[in-house]
Amino acid sequence: MALSARLEIRQGQGLVITPQLQQAIKLLQLSNLELEAFVDEELERNPLLQRDERDAEPAAETPAEAATDFSADRMDDAGARADLDTSHDEASPGERVTGDAEHDMGASEAGASVDWSKASRGSGSFEGDPEAMEGVLTRDKTLNEHLHDQLSASGLKGPEAAAAIVMIDAVDEGGYLRAELAELADRLGCAEELLERVLTVLQGFEPVGVCARDLRECLMIQLKDRNRFDPAMSALLDNLQLLARRDMPALKRACAVDDEDLREMVAELRALTPRPGAAFGGEPVQAVVPDVYVREGLGGLWLVELNSETLPRLLVDQRYHARVSASARTDQEKTFVSDCAAQASWLVKSLDQRAKTILKVSSEIVRQQDGFLAYGVEHLRPLNLKTVADAIGMHESTVSRVTSNKYLSTPRGVFEMKFFFTSAIQATEGGDAHSAESVRHKIRQLIDAEASERDVHSDDSIVDILKEAGVDIARRTVAKYREAMRIPSSVERRRKLKETA
């Protein structure tokens, strides 16, 4: 059969993503600093755009009767969504003084007058030139990014994972945890014991010594990793001030060692790293400016409001447009003016839609996670992007873009939107899903109840017990949770119980 060429006409449907649509999509995922940088570029490029320098009127408060009811007795109800209001932690304490001993060892935006407010200035661009993009792609990973990567593989879930995120964000560039556990526990509404467990896991991350609260703890973690932490070393760490003064006789008496042992101990101490996070790339520290404010209203209501300070306040200069349109002579000039008018109008509309979308997504997140706001981190509900997308009638990818680099200011602190998305463990027979943390708590209770060799539960038996309780879980998941909680295997637990019998 001979091949021949022919012409055919076919009709079909397809989605064409115009440059304007691409712009609207990309605007969604920009942080407030990146948005301000992009708006600055558009103001320079488009003469028909200008900032509205008039004082912004205060955004009208969402009335209590129009807000979503998140009272405790309706926490399980779907509730009404909060109306869209389109009017829309402390600075790091810095590095603590770790003493002279560290020095001795060698030591983060179709109307012409849409009312927006100004955003704070920032760096970053919309499209980005190749050189700038190359710099982003080739920059060193920061300590914060390195710790978050390890957290993803740690097995921590639910409240523990949420607490870990907050704690990692409190780690300075040197690798030290600059937050008190009691203060974090009060802010997150959880037990300090939970934070202690999470801190134990974090202190097992690389680099060795990270997440320590002071110099002594940092050095102790490194010594334990080298299996060189003994009573004499403990005494030496307790008397670092003597080492800083080079008071060797007093050190010998405190450590109960001779001259040779003391020299070896000091040499081992000098080989350690007093700032374990210093080897990682750093970036300029920028204060987090929340995109949305969440505050408690009357009658158990949560009021959701956009932060107008992070939204560019732009308008299209219609008078200038009329003047330059009348003076345009050539086709090229007329085309330029027409394109600028269309781009300016589209940008204003895109920024308006962006703000509405952020508020819509934020209101749904608050509706879903009212338990956390009211009672603390242990009441975080299982939540994913699809749940939010289905509830507000948007695509999952849109929700993902909106929640990237956006922050909510709540009575419990400032959190990234992605903080509120937690995993779930499915229930048997179609029951309600269980949060991962509640399952971990059940596993710990079962193991803590083991009093003798005969009471020890294997991972398979724990799976059977949990399934009888309505939790559908795999054996490998039980093993992962157990290991994340630093609980030995059934064989090791049985051996220990036998030795203590």
Side-chain angles (χ1 to χ4, degrees), residues 212-421:
R213 288 163 287 187
D214 51 40
L215 178 61
R216 183 190 185 283
E217 189 173 37
C218 176
L219 300 177
M220 180 184 68
I221 294 171
Q222 296 179 60
L223 288 169
K224 287 183 176 180
D225 181 70
R226 301 183 180 195
N227 197 27
R228 288 295 296 124
F229 186 72
D230 53 27
M233 272 295 187
S234 178
L236 179 57
L237 295 183
D238 289 337
N239 293 275
L240 289 176
Q241 72 280 1
L242 295 178
L243 178 61
R245 298 199 303 263
R246 300 181 183 276
D247 190 346
M248 298 307 173
L251 271 179
K252 285 194 300 182
R253 293 192 298 269
C255 299
V257 295
D258 57 25
D259 290 337
E260 184 178 356
D261 288 337
L262 183 59
R263 282 195 298 268
E264 292 178 356
M265 291 166 60
V266 172
E268 287 185 60
L269 212 59
R270 292 179 185 274
L272 304 180
T273 306
R275 288 171 53 81
F280 287 81
E283 57 186 6
V285 178
Q286 296 176 335
V288 172
V289 180
D291 299 84
V292 179
Y293 288 113
V294 180
R295 56 191 177 85
E296 189 172 3
L298 299 176
L301 305 176
W302 293 105
L303 307 180
V304 182
E305 181 184 14
L306 284 176
N307 179 9
S308 60
E309 295 298 326
T310 64
L311 301 172
R313 193 176 169 200
L314 300 179
L315 55 80
V316 181
D317 193 337
Q318 301 288 12
R319 291 184 179 179
Y320 187 66
H321 178 217
R323 190 164 61 226
V324 297
S325 296
S327 62
R329 294 292 181 265
T330 66
D331 290 342
Q332 185 177 0
E333 292 175 350
K334 293 178 181 179
T335 300
F336 175 74
V337 173
S338 177
D339 288 345
C340 286
Q343 292 171 5
S345 178
W346 183 269
L347 178 58
V348 170
K349 292 178 181 178
S350 297
L351 290 173
D352 182 43
Q353 184 60 42
R354 176 184 182 271
K356 291 178 179 179
T357 304
I358 292 176
L359 187 56
K360 197 170 185 179
V361 172
S362 302
S363 297
E364 181 61 24
I365 292 176
V366 170
R367 189 183 73 84
Q368 294 281 353
Q369 298 292 8
D370 60 311
F372 164 75
L373 297 173
Y375 304 110
V377 69
E378 294 183 354
H379 294 270
L380 272 174
R381 294 173 177 169
L383 184 65
N384 54 38
L385 297 174
K386 187 177 186 303
T387 301
V388 174
D390 290 345
I392 63 179
M394 290 184 176
H395 194 273
E396 199 172 327
S397 62
T398 302
V399 176
S400 178
R401 291 186 179 96
V402 170
T403 55
S404 296
N405 304 312
K406 311 293 187 306
Y407 293 84
L408 270 68
S409 175
T410 74
R412 296 194 177 277
V414 179
F415 301 93
E416 189 176 5
M417 287 189 183
K418 289 189 179 295
F419 168 86
F420 297 95
F421 293 87

